[in-house]
Amino acid sequence: MPVDQAVPPAAPEEADHNRHQDQRDPFIVANLDVLASRHQAFCQALPRVTPFYAVKCNNSPNVLRVLAALGTGFDCASQMELEQVLSLGVAPSRIIYANPCKPIYHIRFAAYHGVQLMTFDCEEELIKVAQHHPGARLVIRLWTQDSNSTFPLSTKFGAKLELCEHLLKSARDLGLAVVGVSFHVGSDCHSPHSFTQAIEDCRHVFEMARGVGHDMSLLDIGGGFPGAEGSESRFEEIAKLINACLARDFPERSGVKVIAEPGRFYAESVSMAAVNIIAKKAVLEPGGQRKLLYYLNEGHYGIFRLFLRQPVFRAPIVVKELCSDPPLFPCTLYGPTCDSFDKLFLEEVKLPELDVGDWLVFSSMGAYTSVMSSSFNGFLPASIFYAVGPELRSLLEPAPEAGTCPVWRGCRPSFAAQTISDSPSLQTVLPDYGVSRTN
Ligand code: PLP
């Protein structure tokens, strides 16, 4: 096209308008009914344990509203998380401020709003709490063996067993009440034994604490329960062992209240994410092998922040009509920013030949995804569309607005049908839930 006939670039307002209208923007569908069923599964498998949902995992207002309505407690890690939960009308007694290393200002906020339960794992924290929240009901966070978890935490948090007696005495000498013990075996735990060892260690800490004069009544078994679709049997195995350990070390007659801080168990399987291929390069390797680079509109600085730390490849569903056995190519999946670190996986993955405009769908994307998104390089966090069935809808006032899934617009019904039948989360999300297909 000659230059003088070229279409002029859109005016800024128009360009901005187009950005919000782009049918190929990444998006997330969160099925709140799945969240409710996770709560039911947790309570059934661990009847002695009261869940205090870990807000850090997914703090979307609708997720928190559902859990508040279902009666869970909450684990908050900062003033902002405390504010978010308190603003839903949740009583301060249903909150544990479970960050062992807290800014003074946030401790004062908790004190002012009557949040009493809080964790600590060192002497310096006790000194701050004695000064700024002397009425706190403290929970000592114990170090655990977490090498069998995908995301270990113990290099950063937890007092070693041999240090606990000293800390418990220091708390007493400062006039502080220690009421319980907590631990966290690391997120996405693969070893039920980590829980059993930790619960046994907690019993020793209870004895120590009572020995120095604390009135102990709370055991907090933390998070770490697996949450992705397909991890149900691993969770059941962990739950069985925990129940047996509780019966041995903290029997019901002991009167000890047991709580947990599950995050990913509740949230991970709630959401799926659809991302679009925005650019593509084909490269010929020295041996003649064809390799593909796909550039997606979501990446490491968005919802895939944790993927680079996961050892297991999370295969996407390809939304494209393909022959029954398409050739696969080694592919690198890059995010949209200019940073070369912005990719989904360290290793190459095998995928069919795809094109700009094609969709990839990832399941189990509800935990540590949107909450970690940034707008680095001007790429905004993916929109979230909520699906909610009639039963749960009646619990929520006002009900969340049903969204529409832009992926279905302009995409041939057979692609959509194939994707739905491949993905249990999509099957449940579609027509019954008010998330409508628009083609
Ligand atoms: N509690 C604390 C103190 C945490 O740091 C975390 C996660 O980092 C959680 C609970 C939630 O863990 P998960 O998502 O593995 O259940």
Side-chain angles (χ1 to χ4, degrees):
M1 187 188 290
V3 172
D4 57 354
Q5 284 179 28
V7 180
E13 314 84 89
E14 206 181 321
D16 199 42
H17 179 69
N18 287 342
R19 178 166 59 75
H20 293 295
Q21 293 268 305
D22 190 345
Q23 300 302 307
R24 296 185 193 281
D25 277 348
F27 68 93
I28 288 173
V29 178
N31 186 345
L32 298 176
D33 280 7
V34 172
L35 182 65
S37 67
R38 298 302 277 176
H39 175 57
Q40 211 177 11
F42 190 91
C43 296
Q44 252 164 26
L46 291 162
R48 286 241 356 246
V49 184
T50 305
F52 278 51
Y53 171 72
V55 175
K56 57 182 79 68
C57 171
N58 181 333
N59 72 343
S60 104
N62 283 326
V63 165
L64 300 186
R65 282 173 62 206
V66 168
L67 295 178
L70 293 174
T72 70
F74 292 90
D75 148 21
C76 297
S78 64
Q79 173 174 339
M80 206 164 120
E81 289 187 357
L82 290 168
E83 275 177 299
Q84 234 194 320
V85 173
L86 289 167
S87 74
L88 295 171
V90 172
S93 58
R94 276 168 66 192
I95 298 175
I96 180 164
Y97 186 178
N99 186 339
C101 300
K102 299 169 278 297
I104 287 172
Y105 189 71
H106 298 211
I107 296 174
R108 290 169 67 93
F109 179 88
Y112 184 78
H113 289 276
V115 176
Q116 289 188 311
L117 277 179
M118 51 178 59
T119 59
F120 75 100
D121 64 2
C122 64
E123 199 146 10
E124 287 70 15
E125 196 69 6
L126 287 174
I127 294 164
K128 285 188 322 199
V129 174
Q131 197 177 351
H132 300 286
H133 194 351
R137 298 174 68 230
L138 288 169
V139 176
I140 185 166
R141 165 102 168 242
L142 188 60
W143 182 91
T144 57
Q145 173 55 256
D146 63 357
S147 54
N148 285 317
S149 298
T150 309
F151 306 99
L153 293 164
S154 289
T155 46
K156 188 165 180 182
F157 297 117
K160 289 272 172 73
L161 194 55
E162 54 274 21
L163 234 178
C164 286
E165 186 156 10
H166 171 73
L167 290 176
L168 291 162
K169 282 182 180 161
S170 299
R172 179 198 59 196
D173 296 344
L174 286 162
L176 293 168
V178 178
V179 298
V181 189
S182 77
F183 62 82
H184 195 304
V185 293
S187 199
D188 191 30
C189 178
H190 288 260
S191 160
H193 182 70
S194 305
F195 280 96
T196 58
Q197 182 61 55
I199 292 173
E200 196 180 322
D201 288 348
C202 285
R203 184 169 51 85
H204 294 305
V205 181
F206 261 69
E207 284 159 14
M208 273 178 215
R210 285 180 174 147
V212 304
H214 292 294
D215 186 8
M216 300 290 283
S217 58
L218 185 80
L219 170 67
D220 175 356
I221 62 172
F225 310 95
E229 281 173 33
S231 63
E232 293 77 9
S233 58
R234 187 152 52 102
F235 170 69
E236 292 296 332
E237 191 192 345
I238 289 175
K240 265 197 201 124
L241 270 172
I242 289 176
N243 289 334
C245 287
L246 291 178
R248 185 193 62 201
D249 294 323
F250 295 91
E252 273 187 72
R253 64 175 180 281
S254 69
V256 171
K257 177 175 175 175
V258 187
I259 68 169
E261 301 164 1
R264 67 173 62 246
F265 177 81
Y266 270 68
E268 191 161 355
S269 61
V270 165
S271 305
M272 46 72 62
V275 302
N276 201 262
I277 298 175
I278 54 170
K280 169 189 175 182
K281 290 176 193 164
V283 195
L284 265 195
E285 300 274 81
Q289 189 175 29
R290 186 173 157 78
K291 187 183 147 177
L292 299 167
L293 314 183
Y294 293 130
Y295 296 73
L296 311 174
N297 52 6
E298 261 292 348
H300 177 75
Y301 296 98
I303 58 174
F304 295 111
R305 188 67 67 102
L306 282 192
F307 269 40
L308 282 183
R309 288 167 58 194
Q310 283 173 354
V312 186
F313 167 53
R314 302 262 306 266
I317 299 161
V318 173
V319 187
K320 184 164 184 126
E321 223 164 18
L322 298 163
C323 64
S324 60
D325 196 10
L328 300 179
F329 300 91
C331 301
T332 302
L333 298 183
Y334 283 115
T337 72
C338 292
D339 180 8
S340 60
F341 192 72
D342 183 10
K343 53 182 171 181
L344 270 60
F345 306 103
L346 287 175
E347 310 284 329
E348 286 170 350
V349 300
K350 295 269 188 184
L351 285 174
E353 174 100 34
L354 300 170
D355 295 299
V356 169
D358 285 340
W359 290 98
L360 296 178
V361 172
F362 290 84
S363 61
S364 293
M365 287 296 289
Y368 306 104
T369 50
S370 303
V371 80
M372 289 182 156
S373 278
S374 73
S375 53
F376 177 50
N377 265 204
F379 292 96
L380 297 180
S383 314
I384 306 174
F385 298 87
Y386 292 95
V388 55
E391 210 177 306
L392 193 54
R393 185 175 286 271
S394 64
L395 257 186
L396 303 173
E397 274 307 323
E401 278 187 21
T404 51
C405 293
V407 71
W408 309 115
R409 284 183 205 139
C411 127
R412 277 188 268 155
S414 54
F415 297 173
Q418 154 137 31
T419 313
I420 295 162
S421 63
D422 281 355
S423 159
S425 38
L426 275 180
Q427 278 170 41
T428 53
V429 159
L430 285 169
D432 294 347
Y433 289 92
V435 173
S436 54
R437 225 161 81 182
T438 54
N439 64 337

